[in-house]
Amino acid sequence: MADLDSTGPGALAELSVAQAGALLRAGRLTSVDLVENALGMIEARDATLHAFVLVTREQALRRARQADRELREGLDRGPLHGVPYALKDIFAAEGLPTTNHSWLTVSDVAAEDSAVEARLRAGGGVLLGKLATYEFALGGPSVDLPFPPARNPWNGEHIPSGSSSGAGVAVAAGFLRVAFGSDTAGSIRGPAFHCGTVGLKPTYGSVSGYGATPLSHTMDHFGPLGWTVADTAAALHVIAGPDPRDPRTRDTPAPDFLGAASEDVKGLRVAYSTAWYAHDPATLPEITEGIERALTHLDKLGAIVEECELPPYEVLDACGRVILAAEGFAVHERNLRGFPWSYGRFTYQKLMPGAGVGAGDLLRAMDVRRRLVESFQQKVFADHDVLVTACGQATAARFDDFPTDWPPPRLANDMQTIPFAVTGHPALSLPLGFAADGLPIGLQLVGRKFGEASLFRAGAALEAEFGRRDTRPRLTGAGAGARAVGGAAGTRARTRAVGGAAGVGAGSGPGIGLGPGLHPGLRPDLAIRAHRPDPEPEPADVRR
């Protein structure tokens, strides 16, 4: 049916979730059209971007045909029915590998869907495959892992940030309108900021983490990246809600987010503070000026904009680092002791400090966290709906900014996202155009707990003025055909896992072992079962 040029104005790749949905329901477009268009773009352009580690072509086409059949028969499963998406490769999808971008789990095949994938499948979405991540959502960008790191589509010499790196790249490049990632200290908002997409870390407990590889039980969040605020709201609408298998989720239905992005901001109470970023020489002037323009625009539209006081950034940062170090080490302790050589260098170096965090340290950090949450409630959210602040301080670092050992120089790790992973408030990374070097910049909107609708309201108003949603990276077909669309099999172990995805019994590999009722955060010692990789693996960047 479709005869649109996939790179031109009004192309299939540029249809919003709502526009595609309307055409699908009117019978003027099919899900197969959308999927074939996306697969063609991935085949032509991802050989150099490395957003995907696995593309499930045949499965995607089967699900697309099923979606088309259901829509013709009058069955409407929701806003993502028939719409392609992809998952960060920490989310289990039945019958597919969950590699975590790691030698430790490169051949693991999921026995069941994660909660996020189960909701997307039930909502009629079409899974195109698995997306690159930093190893175990922590260690990267690295070249000593089974697959190459994803590259920023605006300039391939720069990182896309992480750890949901492939998700940011895939959405910015136009392969997908929505993708799904995790955020423990900024892993959704960082790639969104540096790739020029929208990225939402929902309120802690809004989205179930069942079947997602854990990193930090009390800081892990799961959410969408989208090209627009409305796309992101539609994606959250599908995946949010209670799950008895994950005790972190609250036992009440998620609100309806679909209309929030179309509401105006008149009367919305907006707080701001420049204390964390404006006087820091590391912050680009374009970012400070962009935030000032955004606040002026909200005021012009009728929002009530007021300055507020924030807790010291350094306290939030230290609190989050202690908690993440302790909980991350707990998840990986057995493998760190038994298979340390199987981790990438950066991952190992980031996890091992957790061995020195004692119970007293963690308890003190948890008490500081409680007081920080109270401080935000009293100083910001008692009287305001939204806080406007910086998301990052500079454009994406170059790959060669990263030394052999962690940590890199500060400017290669410039995000201001960890505070709201500590407090659990919802936070949205929103594009604001580009810096002088041509790379994306943006800001961060933070809301009351379970107040995502206010973020969508403010975000849509700012996006309409500053979002530049008509501007995409200039991608070429260089390297097209360097690998098959069927998958990015770069190792013998990976070839076995991908090649057997349809024929190997679910759970037949070493596995992440998420049985019914097992919550990974409650039994971190059982969350990952290790095996040693081939002693002489093929180079990680071999593409088949």
Side-chain angles (χ1 to χ4, degrees), residues 215 324-334 336-337 351-352 354-355:
L215 176 57
L324 176 53
E327 294 185 347
F329 183 79
V331 169
H332 289 274
E333 181 176 5
R334 187 171 67 176
L336 287 167
R337 294 182 185 279
L351 285 170
M352 282 306 299

Side-chain angles (χ1 to χ4, degrees), residues 43 175 195-196 279 334 342 462 473 539:
E43 182 173 23
F175 301 160
C195 292
H279 304 294
R334 187 171 67 176
S342 295
L462 294 174

Side-chain angles (χ1 to χ4, degrees), residues 180-461:
F180 297 87
S182 64
D183 189 316
T184 307
S187 291
I188 288 172
R189 291 163 291 159
F193 177 82
H194 283 137
C195 292
T197 77
V198 179
L200 176 71
K201 181 197 75 65
T203 306
Y204 182 79
S206 289
V207 177
S208 173
Y210 180 82
T213 303
L215 176 57
S216 171
H217 177 66
T218 68
M219 289 176 63
D220 286 344
H221 300 69
F222 311 94
L225 294 88
W227 185 241
T228 67
V229 172
D231 291 341
T232 307
L236 180 65
H237 180 85
V238 175
I239 64 170
D243 182 354
R245 300 169 300 179
D246 186 344
R248 296 171 292 187
T249 58
R250 69 170 184 171
D251 192 23
T252 57
D256 184 348
F257 298 112
L258 294 178
S262 61
E263 297 180 20
D264 64 39
V265 296
K266 188 174 182 179
L268 193 72
R269 301 189 68 89
V270 177
Y272 75 94
S273 172
T274 62
W276 289 356
Y277 62 90
H279 304 294
D280 188 333
T283 305
L284 285 179
E286 295 104 311
I287 291 174
T288 301
E289 293 162 4
I291 294 172
E292 290 173 355
R293 287 195 300 272
L295 291 166
T296 299
H297 187 63
L298 289 172
D299 180 73
K300 178 182 175 182
L301 294 178
I304 301 167
V305 180
E306 299 173 324
E307 191 168 9
C308 69
E309 180 184 355
L310 297 179
Y313 182 85
E314 294 76 13
V315 176
L316 286 148
D317 184 60
C319 178
R321 290 178 185 277
V322 169
I323 294 170
L324 176 53
E327 294 185 347
F329 183 79
V331 169
H332 289 274
E333 181 176 5
R334 187 171 67 176
N335 287 340
L336 287 167
R337 294 182 185 279
F339 307 91
W341 57 83
S342 295
Y343 287 92
R345 189 176 185 88
F346 281 175
T347 314
Y348 180 83
Q349 291 175 337
K350 293 179 79 173
L351 285 170
M352 282 306 299
V357 179
D361 300 320
L362 181 59
L363 288 173
R364 282 188 290 272
M366 291 293 190
D367 183 60
V368 170
R369 168 192 263 177
R370 177 186 57 78
R371 286 181 278 153
L372 288 167
V373 171
E374 292 174 354
S375 178
F376 270 103
Q377 176 57 33
Q378 294 167 4
K379 295 180 178 180
V380 182
F381 295 115
D383 299 312
H384 300 94
D385 305 300
V386 175
L387 169 68
V388 178
T389 187
C391 188
Q393 294 177 274
T395 54
R398 294 176 57 89
F399 278 94
D400 57 18
D401 288 334
F402 288 81
T404 302
D405 293 301
W406 195 268
R410 180 186 173 192
L411 287 179
N413 192 30
D414 66 326
M415 301 308 298
Q416 290 203 337
T417 49
I418 197 169
F420 307 108
V422 170
T423 66
H425 291 92
L428 185 81
S429 178
L430 186 76
L432 282 181
F434 303 89
D437 61 4
L439 294 173
I441 56 173
L443 55 70
Q444 185 170 205
L445 301 175
V446 187
R448 293 178 172 134
K449 291 191 176 182
F450 303 101
E452 285 84 353
S454 293
L455 302 185
F456 295 142
R457 287 175 63 191

